Amino acid sequence: MKIILGITGGIAAYKAAELVRLLVKKGCEVEVVMTDAATRFITPLTMQALSGRPVRLTQWDDMAHIDLSRGAEAILVAPATADFIAKIAQGHASDLLSSLCLARNCPLFLAPAMNRQMWDNPASRRNLAQIREDGVHVVGPLEGVQACGETGMGRMAEPDEIASAVLSSLSPKILSGKKFLVTAGPTLEAIDPVRVITNLSSGKMGYAVAQAALASGAQVVLVSGPTCLPRPIGAKFVPVASAREMRDAVMANVGGSDVFVSVAAVADYRVANPSSSKIKKGGTLTLALEPNPDILQEVANMKNPPFCVGFAAETGNLEENALLKMKRKNVPMLVGNLAQDALGRDESEIVIFGSGGGAKRLPRAAKTKLAAQLVEEIARAIS
Ligand code: C5P
């Protein structure tokens, strides 16, 4: 996906660096266009290094304002100053970025950033109403402390929020009206108040699945064990710790779900009698373990189960183990991966096993990309 990122002259321009990084990470080709004022806040060199392409600064080089807007899927201006929004409202073409916006044949997204009094000014109100009426998408702003020291409305939305608003709005809504329930991350089983048994899991794949389902128009509930990841914007987020908490949260939310994707690395066992005080060290410690509920199996064997998708992280014999698991848990789709290729990483390679006996191998790619392909596969299976 090719996106033109316009940067105008506001202090929030430094956040555009993070925005480029996020868009590139999500597989976008980002073409940066900066106004003269923007170059006072952040250097074109920074943006060139992050986007991997030369930065456009002037309309006098060639007919770029036409060429660039023809090839792009969207133009995103972040930060968009009060002055730039006024230009767009009026249809000015006085520099490369405003010319591109006027000559575009793709959606335009603006992330306003300005002082709170500029934001409240009737002229800004009028301009904003006008651009909205013209079909421009406005992301943010947020309320909070501003660079000038004042507090109020006008802070630019955070880069992850802007990236996900743009990408979600551009993806085809193949899952609109569908409800997804996703589990992600590890579970923690207490040994005593400060020690746990857990599985290694970053939560990256589960969060990517939730994000991909959201981008395809689904309603998403994400039940997650502890991770360091930001919550996907737009999902109902249910944080849990133990497998039993995860099971209860899943059962409380499964009603009405069309799809259940069980990505969580649920601990198979918990400590039978966790100590209520810290166990002091010394000698051999023996812990009695008892099995945890199998959440996926329980959901898949409900009376009217949602379409269930399991995950199997194996260290070998992937196909054999995955097929056995699929049969034992009674799930129509199972995603297999090798733990050593996937754990904690941003990339993985997966095989999707279907109930028809087919196996689809997806080569090594970013988990975000694999998750989008998996969600497409699920959409096909339930249509
Ligand atoms: O741990 P196992 O390899 O059996 O996990 C396979 C699938 O079952 C995964 O989708 C996992 O989320 C799910 N599971 C579960 N509850 C458990 C164990 C695993 O839902 N107690």
Side-chain angles (χ1 to χ4, degrees):
M1 194 179 287
K2 180 173 158 185
I3 292 181
I4 295 175
L5 173 63
I7 308 174
T8 67
I11 186 62
Y14 77 93
K15 290 189 186 173
E18 175 67 359
L19 186 53
V20 177
R21 204 187 61 81
L22 285 174
L23 290 169
V24 168
K25 200 170 155 200
K26 292 201 187 264
C28 299
E29 233 180 75
V30 184
E31 189 100 42
V32 178
V33 178
M34 296 174 77
T35 63
D36 190 38
T39 64
R40 310 274 175 139
F41 291 91
I42 187 160
T43 70
L45 189 61
T46 303
M47 304 315 293
Q48 178 174 335
L50 292 168
S51 67
R53 316 177 135 257
V55 171
R56 306 276 190 156
L57 301 167
T58 165
Q59 57 188 343
W60 306 120
D61 287 345
D62 48 28
M63 291 291 280
H65 54 294
I66 303 295
D67 295 348
L68 280 175
S69 70
R70 289 297 168 267
E73 241 122 326
I75 301 179
L76 161 64
V77 182
T81 57
D83 179 64
F84 190 76
I85 292 172
K87 277 188 181 178
I88 296 299
Q90 291 291 314
H92 286 210
S94 50
D95 55 24
L96 176 58
L97 188 55
S98 54
S99 304
L100 274 174
C101 291
L102 198 62
R104 78 185 187 278
N105 58 358
C106 60
L108 173 61
F109 295 80
L110 299 186
M114 65 194 76
N115 165 272
R116 68 183 172 92
Q117 268 162 340
M118 285 186 178
W119 177 255
D120 288 335
N121 189 294
S124 298
R125 311 277 83 230
R126 271 198 309 276
N127 291 334
L128 215 37
Q130 182 62 58
I131 61 168
R132 283 202 165 110
E133 199 182 311
D134 295 343
V136 175
H137 305 268
V138 178
V139 188
L142 306 173
E143 207 173 328
V145 181
Q146 306 201 306
C148 53
E150 295 177 9
T151 301
M153 198 67 174
R155 271 174 71 89
M156 189 173 86
E158 292 305 324
D160 57 345
E161 195 174 332
I162 298 172
S164 90
V166 173
L167 296 178
S168 308
S169 128
L170 295 177
S171 329
K173 301 289 170 271
I174 49 174
L175 286 169
S176 94
K178 300 289 181 198
K179 198 175 155 199
F180 268 56
L181 176 60
V182 181
T183 64
T187 63
L188 305 185
E189 312 298 330
I191 297 172
D192 68 18
V194 295
R195 301 185 182 95
V196 294
I197 293 177
T198 189
N199 283 352
L200 291 177
S201 171
S202 63
K204 286 176 181 169
M205 191 67 195
Y207 280 54
V209 168
Q211 193 72 62
L214 282 167
S216 301
Q219 245 181 288
V220 177
V221 179
L222 175 61
V223 178
S224 174
T227 74
C228 299
L229 303 173
R231 300 173 177 195
I233 293 153
K236 174 180 166 189
F237 186 79
V238 187
V240 295
S242 70
R244 283 188 293 181
E245 278 173 33
M246 183 172 275
R247 185 243 166 231
D248 291 348
V250 165
M251 290 306 159
N253 285 282
V254 73
S257 295
D258 299 287
V259 177
F260 175 50
V261 193
S262 180
V263 197
V266 185
D268 290 320
Y269 292 92
R270 64 173 177 271
V271 177
N273 293 303
S275 169
S276 57
S277 55
K278 188 176 171 188
I279 301 171
K280 296 296 168 204
K281 71 178 162 205
T284 306
L285 174 68
T286 305
L287 295 172
L289 302 180
E290 58 190 23
N292 267 327
D294 191 310
I295 307 168
L296 176 60
Q297 191 159 328
E298 190 172 341
V299 173
N301 290 285
M302 282 168 50
K303 214 168 183 188
N304 283 310
F307 183 82
C308 287
V309 183
F311 268 71
E314 302 293 340
T315 47
N317 295 336
L318 185 59
E319 177 153 359
E320 193 187 325
N321 284 320
L323 293 176
L324 272 174
K325 219 161 260 187
M326 207 172 158
K327 209 161 164 193
R328 191 173 74 240
K329 304 201 186 205
N330 190 27
V331 294
M333 188 180 276
L334 195 121
V335 181
N337 57 13
L338 288 174
Q340 57 271 32
D341 288 344
L343 271 182
R345 301 190 179 189
D346 288 335
E347 293 192 335
S348 180
E349 52 188 273
I350 61 174
V351 186
I352 305 175
F353 299 95
S355 50
K360 190 166 185 175
R361 195 168 293 276
L362 302 185
R364 190 154 198 83
K367 286 181 177 172
T368 46
K369 186 171 174 193
L370 295 174
Q373 289 173 292
L374 172 63
V375 163
E376 269 176 40
E377 207 59 43
I378 296 172
R380 260 194 289 280
I382 62 170
S383 64

